[in-house]
Amino acid sequence: MLFNNAGISAPGIPMEDLTYEQWSAVVAVNLTGAFLCAQAAIKLMKAQQPRGGRIINNGSISAHVPRPNSAPYTATKHAITGLTRCISLDGRKYDIACGQIDIGKRRHGNDRAHVGGRSQADGTKMVEPRMDVRHVAEAVVYMANLPLDANVQFMTVMATKMPFIGRG
């Protein structure tokens, strides 16, 4: 099993102010890194006996709706959705299942990161509701423990009151 979980973002600045280096860094970690890890895992999963395995890609709420000034992060998370679908299709004949978990705000050790709130579509900042990170772990474990003839293609886990529906 592979859990593709690495991810970074660029500064929350207007797209026209981003440097090529900032854009490239996010693409390298979020998309190219996930591709390279999946590629290596697929080679192993196809060659092992019994063959097969599971890849779980960490998407994001941003795979569905963006935050203001988040072009590199949002673009890569949309791309992860495409990568997930391609791995699912191409992996079927080798008993490789692939799914994606889209995770909302969660409480963890770095809670200081957004003390002032996150930018909203209307230009305001808001401290968003968060869930316990344990719920994310439980969701990943659920996906990972399914037999290879069953798959969660896409799952969204988020705080009930997080502004997702209506965001954007």
Side-chain angles (χ1 to χ4, degrees):
M1 196 210 66
L2 167 67
F3 181 36
N4 259 327
N5 191 41
I8 63 169
S9 60
I13 58 177
M15 192 165 65
E16 65 272 18
D17 295 332
L18 280 168
T19 66
Y20 175 76
E21 291 75 22
Q22 289 168 318
W23 169 269
S24 295
V26 175
V27 171
V29 171
N30 296 7
L31 182 57
T32 304
F35 166 79
L36 292 172
C37 289
Q39 183 183 52
I42 290 166
K43 288 178 184 177
L44 290 171
M45 291 171 183
K46 285 172 69 174
Q48 69 189 6
Q49 289 300 323
R51 74 175 184 192
R54 182 174 308 280
I55 297 171
I56 301 171
N57 290 323
N58 185 351
S60 171
I61 297 293
S62 293
H64 304 277
V65 290
R67 288 190 182 282
N69 300 319
S70 66
Y73 184 79
T74 298
T76 59
K77 293 306 182 173
H78 277 276
I80 289 295
T81 299
L83 183 65
T84 299
R85 289 181 170 140
C86 287
I87 294 168
S88 293
L89 178 61
D90 297 344
R92 277 183 199 161
K93 61 186 167 197
Y94 303 107
D95 301 314
I96 298 170
C98 184
Q100 178 172 318
I101 185 165
D102 297 320
I103 303 168
K105 299 300 297 170
R106 63 244 166 255
R107 290 186 303 276
H108 52 75
N110 193 21
D111 277 349
R112 299 175 309 281
H114 301 291
V115 170
R118 297 296 308 258
S119 295
Q120 304 296 309
D122 65 2
T124 63
K125 285 197 170 199
M126 180 177 100
V127 175
E128 296 178 346
R130 291 175 280 185
M131 66 183 159
D132 190 316
V133 71
R134 173 178 50 92
H135 302 307
V136 176
E138 290 168 351
V140 171
V141 168
Y142 170 75
M143 293 172 77
N145 283 323
L146 287 172
L148 292 179
D149 65 348
N151 191 37
V152 173
Q153 189 65 56
F154 295 98
M155 178 188 288
T156 302
V157 182
M158 62 183 215
T160 302
K161 295 183 179 181
M162 183 179 175
F164 168 59
I165 304 302
R167 181 172 115 183

